[in-house]
Each structure stands twice: as structure tokens, then as C-alpha cells.
PDB file of all heavy atoms in Angstrom:
ATOM      1  N   SER A   1      14.341   3.319   1.133  1.00 86.00           N
ATOM      2  CA  SER A   1      14.763   4.012   0.011  1.00 86.00           C
ATOM      3  C   SER A   1      16.077   3.465  -0.553  1.00 86.00           C
ATOM      4  O   SER A   1      16.336   3.595  -1.849  1.00 86.00           O
ATOM      5  CB  SER A   1      15.029   5.604   0.516  1.00 86.00           C
ATOM      6  OG  SER A   1      13.906   6.233   0.831  1.00 86.00           O
ATOM      7  N   ALA A   2      16.893   2.947   0.218  1.00 88.00           N
ATOM      8  CA  ALA A   2      18.176   2.478  -0.193  1.00 88.00           C
ATOM      9  C   ALA A   2      17.895   1.235  -1.213  1.00 88.00           C
ATOM     10  O   ALA A   2      18.574   1.052  -2.189  1.00 88.00           O
ATOM     11  CB  ALA A   2      18.920   1.875   0.911  1.00 88.00           C
ATOM     12  N   LYS A   3      16.787   0.544  -0.928  1.00 89.00           N
ATOM     13  CA  LYS A   3      16.442  -0.574  -1.796  1.00 89.00           C
ATOM     14  C   LYS A   3      15.295  -0.255  -2.831  1.00 89.00           C
ATOM     15  O   LYS A   3      14.907  -1.204  -3.562  1.00 89.00           O
ATOM     16  CB  LYS A   3      15.974  -1.829  -0.940  1.00 89.00           C
ATOM     17  CG  LYS A   3      17.054  -2.474  -0.035  1.00 89.00           C
ATOM     18  CD  LYS A   3      16.571  -3.526   0.769  1.00 89.00           C
ATOM     19  CE  LYS A   3      17.655  -4.050   1.644  1.00 89.00           C
ATOM     20  NZ  LYS A   3      17.116  -5.188   2.514  1.00 89.00           N
ATOM     21  N   ASN A   4      14.802   0.879  -2.800  1.00 90.00           N
ATOM     22  CA  ASN A   4      13.774   1.380  -3.652  1.00 90.00           C
ATOM     23  C   ASN A   4      12.606   0.458  -3.476  1.00 90.00           C
ATOM     24  O   ASN A   4      11.910   0.120  -4.499  1.00 90.00           O
ATOM     25  CB  ASN A   4      14.329   1.529  -5.109  1.00 90.00           C
ATOM     26  CG  ASN A   4      13.630   2.632  -5.905  1.00 90.00           C
ATOM     27  OD1 ASN A   4      13.133   3.612  -5.243  1.00 90.00           O
ATOM     28  ND2 ASN A   4      13.492   2.491  -7.144  1.00 90.00           N
ATOM     29  N   THR A   5      12.214   0.081  -2.235  1.00 93.00           N
ATOM     30  CA  THR A   5      11.220  -0.790  -1.946  1.00 93.00           C
ATOM     31  C   THR A   5      10.232  -0.188  -1.043  1.00 93.00           C
ATOM     32  O   THR A   5      10.637   0.425  -0.130  1.00 93.00           O
ATOM     33  CB  THR A   5      11.867  -2.109  -1.336  1.00 93.00           C
ATOM     34  OG1 THR A   5      12.717  -2.690  -2.343  1.00 93.00           O
ATOM     35  CG2 THR A   5      10.789  -3.100  -0.941  1.00 93.00           C
ATOM     36  N   VAL A   6       8.995  -0.576  -1.128  1.00 95.00           N
ATOM     37  CA  VAL A   6       7.983  -0.349  -0.092  1.00 95.00           C
ATOM     38  C   VAL A   6       7.371  -1.555   0.505  1.00 95.00           C
ATOM     39  O   VAL A   6       7.241  -2.588  -0.314  1.00 95.00           O
ATOM     40  CB  VAL A   6       6.735   0.531  -0.825  1.00 95.00           C
ATOM     41  CG1 VAL A   6       5.661   0.632   0.187  1.00 95.00           C
ATOM     42  CG2 VAL A   6       7.361   2.031  -1.229  1.00 95.00           C
ATOM     43  N   ASN A   7       7.303  -1.638   1.729  1.00 97.00           N
ATOM     44  CA  ASN A   7       6.821  -2.864   2.377  1.00 97.00           C
ATOM     45  C   ASN A   7       5.512  -2.869   3.021  1.00 97.00           C
ATOM     46  O   ASN A   7       5.125  -1.624   3.398  1.00 97.00           O
ATOM     47  CB  ASN A   7       7.828  -3.296   3.463  1.00 97.00           C
ATOM     48  CG  ASN A   7       9.310  -3.494   2.781  1.00 97.00           C
ATOM     49  OD1 ASN A   7       9.369  -4.243   1.846  1.00 97.00           O
ATOM     50  ND2 ASN A   7      10.243  -2.930   3.356  1.00 97.00           N
ATOM     51  N   LEU A   8       4.817  -3.912   3.103  1.00 98.00           N
ATOM     52  CA  LEU A   8       3.493  -3.842   3.887  1.00 98.00           C
ATOM     53  C   LEU A   8       3.671  -5.002   4.859  1.00 98.00           C
ATOM     54  O   LEU A   8       3.517  -6.263   4.471  1.00 98.00           O
ATOM     55  CB  LEU A   8       2.337  -4.040   3.013  1.00 98.00           C
ATOM     56  CG  LEU A   8       1.015  -3.960   3.665  1.00 98.00           C
ATOM     57  CD1 LEU A   8       0.643  -2.599   4.243  1.00 98.00           C
ATOM     58  CD2 LEU A   8      -0.109  -4.453   2.720  1.00 98.00           C
ATOM     59  N   GLN A   9       3.933  -4.779   6.086  1.00 98.00           N
ATOM     60  CA  GLN A   9       3.884  -5.606   7.183  1.00 98.00           C
ATOM     61  C   GLN A   9       2.460  -5.953   7.705  1.00 98.00           C
ATOM     62  O   GLN A   9       1.776  -5.020   8.035  1.00 98.00           O
ATOM     63  CB  GLN A   9       4.739  -5.171   8.366  1.00 98.00           C
ATOM     64  CG  GLN A   9       4.811  -6.136   9.521  1.00 98.00           C
ATOM     65  CD  GLN A   9       5.478  -7.444   9.181  1.00 98.00           C
ATOM     66  OE1 GLN A   9       6.525  -7.567   8.384  1.00 98.00           O
ATOM     67  NE2 GLN A   9       4.948  -8.608   9.579  1.00 98.00           N
ATOM     68  N   MET A  10       2.064  -7.236   7.639  1.00 98.00           N
ATOM     69  CA  MET A  10       0.625  -7.504   7.892  1.00 98.00           C
ATOM     70  C   MET A  10       0.689  -8.656   9.016  1.00 98.00           C
ATOM     71  O   MET A  10       1.158  -9.646   8.832  1.00 98.00           O
ATOM     72  CB  MET A  10      -0.119  -8.257   6.688  1.00 98.00           C
ATOM     73  CG  MET A  10       0.057  -7.474   5.467  1.00 98.00           C
ATOM     74  SD  MET A  10      -0.986  -8.004   4.155  1.00 98.00           S
ATOM     75  CE  MET A  10      -0.042  -9.454   3.746  1.00 98.00           C
ATOM     76  N   ASN A  11       0.177  -8.174  10.214  1.00 98.00           N
ATOM     77  CA  ASN A  11       0.049  -8.964  11.370  1.00 98.00           C
ATOM     78  C   ASN A  11      -1.266  -9.291  11.823  1.00 98.00           C
ATOM     79  O   ASN A  11      -2.248  -8.592  11.271  1.00 98.00           O
ATOM     80  CB  ASN A  11       0.706  -8.210  12.478  1.00 98.00           C
ATOM     81  CG  ASN A  11       2.279  -7.966  12.323  1.00 98.00           C
ATOM     82  OD1 ASN A  11       3.028  -8.741  11.546  1.00 98.00           O
ATOM     83  ND2 ASN A  11       2.692  -6.809  12.872  1.00 98.00           N
ATOM     84  N   ASN A  12      -1.368 -10.363  12.620  1.00 98.00           N
ATOM     85  CA  ASN A  12      -2.887 -10.800  13.071  1.00 98.00           C
ATOM     86  C   ASN A  12      -3.782 -10.815  11.718  1.00 98.00           C
ATOM     87  O   ASN A  12      -5.000 -10.337  11.784  1.00 98.00           O
ATOM     88  CB  ASN A  12      -3.432  -9.773  14.082  1.00 98.00           C
ATOM     89  CG  ASN A  12      -4.705 -10.299  14.737  1.00 98.00           C
ATOM     90  OD1 ASN A  12      -4.929 -11.523  14.791  1.00 98.00           O
ATOM     91  ND2 ASN A  12      -5.447  -9.325  15.230  1.00 98.00           N
ATOM     92  N   LEU A  13      -3.365 -11.583  10.832  1.00 98.00           N
ATOM     93  CA  LEU A  13      -4.173 -11.651   9.611  1.00 98.00           C
ATOM     94  C   LEU A  13      -5.515 -12.440   9.824  1.00 98.00           C
ATOM     95  O   LEU A  13      -5.589 -13.383  10.611  1.00 98.00           O
ATOM     96  CB  LEU A  13      -3.318 -12.357   8.626  1.00 98.00           C
ATOM     97  CG  LEU A  13      -2.226 -11.539   7.853  1.00 98.00           C
ATOM     98  CD1 LEU A  13      -1.242 -12.286   7.226  1.00 98.00           C
ATOM     99  CD2 LEU A  13      -2.968 -10.558   6.864  1.00 98.00           C
ATOM    100  N   LYS A  14      -6.420 -12.058   8.969  1.00 98.00           N
ATOM    101  CA  LYS A  14      -7.847 -12.480   9.239  1.00 98.00           C
ATOM    102  C   LYS A  14      -8.289 -13.205   7.915  1.00 98.00           C
ATOM    103  O   LYS A  14      -7.729 -12.677   6.867  1.00 98.00           O
ATOM    104  CB  LYS A  14      -8.790 -11.576   9.596  1.00 98.00           C
ATOM    105  CG  LYS A  14      -8.416 -10.889  10.907  1.00 98.00           C
ATOM    106  CD  LYS A  14      -9.477  -9.665  11.254  1.00 98.00           C
ATOM    107  CE  LYS A  14      -8.989  -9.016  12.529  1.00 98.00           C
ATOM    108  NZ  LYS A  14     -10.075  -7.907  12.875  1.00 98.00           N
ATOM    109  N   PRO A  15      -9.128 -14.110   7.931  1.00 98.00           N
ATOM    110  CA  PRO A  15      -9.528 -14.692   6.561  1.00 98.00           C
ATOM    111  C   PRO A  15     -10.182 -13.662   5.573  1.00 98.00           C
ATOM    112  O   PRO A  15      -9.906 -13.779   4.358  1.00 98.00           O
ATOM    113  CB  PRO A  15     -10.777 -15.659   6.971  1.00 98.00           C
ATOM    114  CG  PRO A  15     -10.312 -16.120   8.395  1.00 98.00           C
ATOM    115  CD  PRO A  15      -9.644 -14.876   9.008  1.00 98.00           C
ATOM    116  N   GLU A  16     -10.593 -12.617   6.132  1.00 97.00           N
ATOM    117  CA  GLU A  16     -11.260 -11.535   5.222  1.00 97.00           C
ATOM    118  C   GLU A  16     -10.097 -10.622   4.660  1.00 97.00           C
ATOM    119  O   GLU A  16     -10.370  -9.777   3.839  1.00 97.00           O
ATOM    120  CB  GLU A  16     -12.240 -10.531   6.085  1.00 97.00           C
ATOM    121  CG  GLU A  16     -11.686 -10.176   7.300  1.00 97.00           C
ATOM    122  CD  GLU A  16     -12.094 -10.928   8.434  1.00 97.00           C
ATOM    123  OE1 GLU A  16     -12.081 -12.150   8.398  1.00 97.00           O
ATOM    124  OE2 GLU A  16     -12.546 -10.333   9.506  1.00 97.00           O
ATOM    125  N   ASP A  17      -8.803 -10.870   5.023  1.00 98.00           N
ATOM    126  CA  ASP A  17      -7.783 -10.199   4.374  1.00 98.00           C
ATOM    127  C   ASP A  17      -7.321 -11.030   3.056  1.00 98.00           C
ATOM    128  O   ASP A  17      -6.546 -10.423   2.356  1.00 98.00           O
ATOM    129  CB  ASP A  17      -6.429 -10.124   5.211  1.00 98.00           C
ATOM    130  CG  ASP A  17      -6.783  -9.303   6.489  1.00 98.00           C
ATOM    131  OD1 ASP A  17      -7.359  -8.195   6.364  1.00 98.00           O
ATOM    132  OD2 ASP A  17      -6.373  -9.671   7.624  1.00 98.00           O
ATOM    133  N   THR A  18      -7.887 -12.114   2.736  1.00 98.00           N
ATOM    134  CA  THR A  18      -7.586 -12.832   1.625  1.00 98.00           C
ATOM    135  C   THR A  18      -7.875 -12.034   0.419  1.00 98.00           C
ATOM    136  O   THR A  18      -9.015 -11.651   0.251  1.00 98.00           O
ATOM    137  CB  THR A  18      -8.249 -14.144   1.630  1.00 98.00           C
ATOM    138  OG1 THR A  18      -7.840 -15.032   2.682  1.00 98.00           O
ATOM    139  CG2 THR A  18      -8.093 -14.928   0.336  1.00 98.00           C
ATOM    140  N   ALA A  19      -6.882 -11.870  -0.468  1.00 98.00           N
ATOM    141  CA  ALA A  19      -7.142 -10.952  -1.647  1.00 98.00           C
ATOM    142  C   ALA A  19      -5.825 -11.102  -2.530  1.00 98.00           C
ATOM    143  O   ALA A  19      -4.734 -11.664  -2.109  1.00 98.00           O
ATOM    144  CB  ALA A  19      -7.480  -9.706  -1.345  1.00 98.00           C
ATOM    145  N   VAL A  20      -5.865 -10.540  -3.638  1.00 98.00           N
ATOM    146  CA  VAL A  20      -4.715 -10.294  -4.503  1.00 98.00           C
ATOM    147  C   VAL A  20      -4.222  -8.851  -4.061  1.00 98.00           C
ATOM    148  O   VAL A  20      -5.110  -7.957  -4.235  1.00 98.00           O
ATOM    149  CB  VAL A  20      -4.879 -10.487  -6.013  1.00 98.00           C
ATOM    150  CG1 VAL A  20      -3.608  -9.874  -6.749  1.00 98.00           C
ATOM    151  CG2 VAL A  20      -5.245 -11.754  -6.360  1.00 98.00           C
ATOM    152  N   TYR A  21      -3.004  -8.638  -3.776  1.00 98.00           N
ATOM    153  CA  TYR A  21      -2.564  -7.335  -3.216  1.00 98.00           C
ATOM    154  C   TYR A  21      -1.761  -6.761  -4.329  1.00 98.00           C
ATOM    155  O   TYR A  21      -0.839  -7.401  -4.829  1.00 98.00           O
ATOM    156  CB  TYR A  21      -1.733  -7.585  -1.958  1.00 98.00           C
ATOM    157  CG  TYR A  21      -2.613  -7.790  -0.718  1.00 98.00           C
ATOM    158  CD1 TYR A  21      -3.271  -8.904  -0.483  1.00 98.00           C
ATOM    159  CD2 TYR A  21      -2.748  -6.694   0.239  1.00 98.00           C
ATOM    160  CE1 TYR A  21      -4.218  -9.175   0.605  1.00 98.00           C
ATOM    161  CE2 TYR A  21      -3.525  -7.040   1.316  1.00 98.00           C
ATOM    162  CZ  TYR A  21      -4.219  -8.083   1.560  1.00 98.00           C
ATOM    163  OH  TYR A  21      -5.040  -8.226   2.628  1.00 98.00           O
ATOM    164  N   TYR A  22      -2.035  -5.416  -4.652  1.00 98.00           N
ATOM    165  CA  TYR A  22      -1.362  -4.779  -5.624  1.00 98.00           C
ATOM    166  C   TYR A  22      -0.635  -3.539  -5.043  1.00 98.00           C
ATOM    167  O   TYR A  22      -1.090  -2.803  -4.166  1.00 98.00           O
ATOM    168  CB  TYR A  22      -2.389  -4.181  -6.657  1.00 98.00           C
ATOM    169  CG  TYR A  22      -3.010  -5.363  -7.399  1.00 98.00           C
ATOM    170  CD1 TYR A  22      -4.299  -5.833  -6.944  1.00 98.00           C
ATOM    171  CD2 TYR A  22      -2.613  -5.849  -8.575  1.00 98.00           C
ATOM    172  CE1 TYR A  22      -5.018  -6.915  -7.643  1.00 98.00           C
ATOM    173  CE2 TYR A  22      -3.346  -6.846  -9.324  1.00 98.00           C
ATOM    174  CZ  TYR A  22      -4.423  -7.322  -8.770  1.00 98.00           C
ATOM    175  OH  TYR A  22      -5.094  -8.251  -9.499  1.00 98.00           O
ATOM    176  N   CYS A  23       0.629  -3.249  -5.524  1.00 97.00           N
ATOM    177  CA  CYS A  23       1.224  -2.205  -5.203  1.00 97.00           C
ATOM    178  C   CYS A  23       1.113  -1.115  -6.356  1.00 97.00           C
ATOM    179  O   CYS A  23       0.977  -1.403  -7.513  1.00 97.00           O
ATOM    180  CB  CYS A  23       2.822  -2.538  -5.218  1.00 97.00           C
ATOM    181  SG  CYS A  23       3.927  -1.146  -4.939  1.00 97.00           S
ATOM    182  N   ALA A  24       1.178   0.114  -6.021  1.00 96.00           N
ATOM    183  CA  ALA A  24       0.721   1.214  -6.969  1.00 96.00           C
ATOM    184  C   ALA A  24       1.561   2.486  -6.541  1.00 96.00           C
ATOM    185  O   ALA A  24       1.913   2.643  -5.324  1.00 96.00           O
ATOM    186  CB  ALA A  24      -0.742   1.453  -6.974  1.00 96.00           C
ATOM    187  N   THR A  25       1.786   3.316  -7.575  1.00 95.00           N
ATOM    188  CA  THR A  25       2.608   4.594  -7.277  1.00 95.00           C
ATOM    189  C   THR A  25       1.909   5.678  -8.121  1.00 95.00           C
ATOM    190  O   THR A  25       1.249   5.362  -9.259  1.00 95.00           O
ATOM    191  CB  THR A  25       4.098   4.414  -7.670  1.00 95.00           C
ATOM    192  OG1 THR A  25       4.741   5.576  -7.224  1.00 95.00           O
ATOM    193  CG2 THR A  25       4.303   4.212  -9.083  1.00 95.00           C
ATOM    194  N   THR A  26       2.142   6.897  -7.664  1.00 91.00           N
ATOM    195  CA  THR A  26       1.551   8.034  -8.311  1.00 91.00           C
ATOM    196  C   THR A  26       2.568   8.799  -9.196  1.00 91.00           C
ATOM    197  O   THR A  26       3.792   8.551  -9.041  1.00 91.00           O
ATOM    198  CB  THR A  26       0.978   9.049  -7.289  1.00 91.00           C
ATOM    199  OG1 THR A  26       2.080   9.427  -6.485  1.00 91.00           O
ATOM    200  CG2 THR A  26       0.022   8.405  -6.328  1.00 91.00           C
ATOM    201  N   PRO A  27       2.202   9.704  -9.985  1.00 88.00           N
ATOM    202  CA  PRO A  27       2.973  10.624 -10.539  1.00 88.00           C
ATOM    203  C   PRO A  27       3.753  11.483  -9.540  1.00 88.00           C
ATOM    204  O   PRO A  27       3.426  11.512  -8.393  1.00 88.00           O
ATOM    205  CB  PRO A  27       2.179  11.446 -11.359  1.00 88.00           C
ATOM    206  CG  PRO A  27       0.959  10.787 -11.666  1.00 88.00           C
ATOM    207  CD  PRO A  27       0.732   9.940 -10.392  1.00 88.00           C
ATOM    208  N   ALA A  28       4.823  12.149  -9.950  1.00 84.00           N
ATOM    209  CA  ALA A  28       5.777  12.804  -8.961  1.00 84.00           C
ATOM    210  C   ALA A  28       4.893  13.845  -8.152  1.00 84.00           C
ATOM    211  O   ALA A  28       4.037  14.477  -8.747  1.00 84.00           O
ATOM    212  CB  ALA A  28       6.923  13.417  -9.604  1.00 84.00           C
ATOM    213  N   LEU A  29       5.236  13.967  -6.857  1.00 83.00           N
ATOM    214  CA  LEU A  29       4.731  15.055  -6.009  1.00 83.00           C
ATOM    215  C   LEU A  29       3.188  15.025  -5.841  1.00 83.00           C
ATOM    216  O   LEU A  29       2.542  16.127  -5.759  1.00 83.00           O
ATOM    217  CB  LEU A  29       5.202  16.424  -6.555  1.00 83.00           C
ATOM    218  CG  LEU A  29       6.695  16.577  -6.814  1.00 83.00           C
ATOM    219  CD1 LEU A  29       7.027  17.992  -7.311  1.00 83.00           C
ATOM    220  CD2 LEU A  29       7.363  16.137  -5.444  1.00 83.00           C
ATOM    221  N   ARG A  30       2.495  13.810  -5.988  1.00 81.00           N
ATOM    222  CA  ARG A  30       1.162  13.753  -5.890  1.00 81.00           C
ATOM    223  C   ARG A  30       0.885  12.556  -5.044  1.00 81.00           C
ATOM    224  O   ARG A  30       1.626  11.721  -4.799  1.00 81.00           O
ATOM    225  CB  ARG A  30       0.499  13.478  -7.264  1.00 81.00           C
ATOM    226  CG  ARG A  30       0.547  14.518  -8.260  1.00 81.00           C
ATOM    227  CD  ARG A  30      -0.266  14.366  -9.527  1.00 81.00           C
ATOM    228  NE  ARG A  30      -1.728  13.893  -9.190  1.00 81.00           N
ATOM    229  CZ  ARG A  30      -2.716  14.844  -8.966  1.00 81.00           C
ATOM    230  NH1 ARG A  30      -2.416  16.082  -9.127  1.00 81.00           N
ATOM    231  NH2 ARG A  30      -3.863  14.399  -8.718  1.00 81.00           N
ATOM    232  N   PRO A  31      -0.290  12.494  -4.526  1.00 83.00           N
ATOM    233  CA  PRO A  31      -1.426  13.466  -4.515  1.00 83.00           C
ATOM    234  C   PRO A  31      -1.364  14.351  -3.419  1.00 83.00           C
ATOM    235  O   PRO A  31      -0.472  14.344  -2.646  1.00 83.00           O
ATOM    236  CB  PRO A  31      -2.638  12.518  -4.494  1.00 83.00           C
ATOM    237  CG  PRO A  31      -2.272  11.480  -3.665  1.00 83.00           C
ATOM    238  CD  PRO A  31      -0.760  11.254  -3.843  1.00 83.00           C
ATOM    239  N   SER A  32      -2.553  15.114  -3.200  1.00 82.00           N
ATOM    240  CA  SER A  32      -2.701  15.741  -2.027  1.00 82.00           C
ATOM    241  C   SER A  32      -3.022  14.700  -0.908  1.00 82.00           C
ATOM    242  O   SER A  32      -3.546  13.642  -1.150  1.00 82.00           O
ATOM    243  CB  SER A  32      -3.799  16.814  -2.204  1.00 82.00           C
ATOM    244  OG  SER A  32      -5.014  16.100  -2.235  1.00 82.00           O
ATOM    245  N   LYS A  33      -2.855  15.216   0.299  1.00 81.00           N
ATOM    246  CA  LYS A  33      -3.124  14.162   1.486  1.00 81.00           C
ATOM    247  C   LYS A  33      -4.619  13.825   1.453  1.00 81.00           C
ATOM    248  O   LYS A  33      -4.875  12.708   1.889  1.00 81.00           O
ATOM    249  CB  LYS A  33      -2.694  14.865   2.735  1.00 81.00           C
ATOM    250  CG  LYS A  33      -1.290  15.063   2.819  1.00 81.00           C
ATOM    251  CD  LYS A  33      -0.797  15.814   4.141  1.00 81.00           C
ATOM    252  CE  LYS A  33       0.719  15.968   4.206  1.00 81.00           C
ATOM    253  NZ  LYS A  33       1.123  16.722   5.471  1.00 81.00           N
ATOM    254  N   ALA A  34      -5.433  14.688   0.943  1.00 83.00           N
ATOM    255  CA  ALA A  34      -6.868  14.447   0.998  1.00 83.00           C
ATOM    256  C   ALA A  34      -7.377  13.255   0.081  1.00 83.00           C
ATOM    257  O   ALA A  34      -8.295  12.666   0.193  1.00 83.00           O
ATOM    258  CB  ALA A  34      -7.783  15.654   0.765  1.00 83.00           C
ATOM    259  N   THR A  35      -6.456  13.008  -0.968  1.00 90.00           N
ATOM    260  CA  THR A  35      -6.916  11.945  -2.020  1.00 90.00           C
ATOM    261  C   THR A  35      -5.876  10.830  -2.025  1.00 90.00           C
ATOM    262  O   THR A  35      -5.834  10.113  -3.070  1.00 90.00           O
ATOM    263  CB  THR A  35      -7.055  12.626  -3.411  1.00 90.00           C
ATOM    264  OG1 THR A  35      -5.779  13.274  -3.751  1.00 90.00           O
ATOM    265  CG2 THR A  35      -8.138  13.830  -3.348  1.00 90.00           C
ATOM    266  N   LEU A  36      -5.207  10.729  -1.031  1.00 91.00           N
ATOM    267  CA  LEU A  36      -4.228   9.627  -0.921  1.00 91.00           C
ATOM    268  C   LEU A  36      -4.732   8.175  -1.072  1.00 91.00           C
ATOM    269  O   LEU A  36      -3.971   7.283  -1.602  1.00 91.00           O
ATOM    270  CB  LEU A  36      -3.378   9.830   0.428  1.00 91.00           C
ATOM    271  CG  LEU A  36      -2.204   8.844   0.552  1.00 91.00           C
ATOM    272  CD1 LEU A  36      -1.149   9.312  -0.388  1.00 91.00           C
ATOM    273  CD2 LEU A  36      -1.504   9.045   1.980  1.00 91.00           C
ATOM    274  N   SER A  37      -5.958   7.873  -0.740  1.00 93.00           N
ATOM    275  CA  SER A  37      -6.674   6.705  -0.994  1.00 93.00           C
ATOM    276  C   SER A  37      -7.385   6.534  -2.217  1.00 93.00           C
ATOM    277  O   SER A  37      -7.942   5.483  -2.395  1.00 93.00           O
ATOM    278  CB  SER A  37      -7.513   6.382   0.358  1.00 93.00           C
ATOM    279  OG  SER A  37      -8.543   7.346   0.215  1.00 93.00           O
ATOM    280  N   ASP A  38      -7.373   7.443  -3.032  1.00 93.00           N
ATOM    281  CA  ASP A  38      -8.205   7.438  -4.314  1.00 93.00           C
ATOM    282  C   ASP A  38      -7.532   6.621  -5.386  1.00 93.00           C
ATOM    283  O   ASP A  38      -6.365   6.888  -5.730  1.00 93.00           O
ATOM    284  CB  ASP A  38      -8.349   8.836  -4.900  1.00 93.00           C
ATOM    285  CG  ASP A  38      -9.412   9.650  -3.971  1.00 93.00           C
ATOM    286  OD1 ASP A  38      -9.842   9.151  -3.031  1.00 93.00           O
ATOM    287  OD2 ASP A  38      -9.695  10.808  -4.334  1.00 93.00           O
TER     288      ASP A  38
END
């Protein structure tokens, strides 16, 4: 929070992890826990 940053630590990487990785954010106070991956 101090740096206003979100990190993704990726260990034991596999060839199938190869991709373009995108960061994304929601509107405030969203979503519900049930739709967090939508």
C-alpha cells in the first residue's frame, strides 16, 4: 500500500506460464468474493 503497488511472485515457472501478463483493477468496493475471477 505504501508504494501503491501489487506484486505477483512467480516461482517454479513452467513453459506453459509463458504469456503476456496484465494487471487489472475494479471499481471501488467491488466485486463480491464470488466473482473475483470474472
Side-chain angles (χ1 to χ4, degrees):
S1 296
K3 296 181 179 179
N4 214 28
T5 296
V6 171
N7 300 307
L8 184 68
Q9 179 66 41
M10 306 186 296
N11 298 326
N12 190 22
L13 282 160
K14 303 176 180 181
E16 52 264 42
D17 294 319
T18 295
V20 177
Y21 283 71
Y22 296 90
C23 174
T25 186
T26 64
L29 310 181
R30 287 189 59 85
S32 69
K33 295 177 181 179
T35 58
L36 191 57
S37 62
D38 288 1

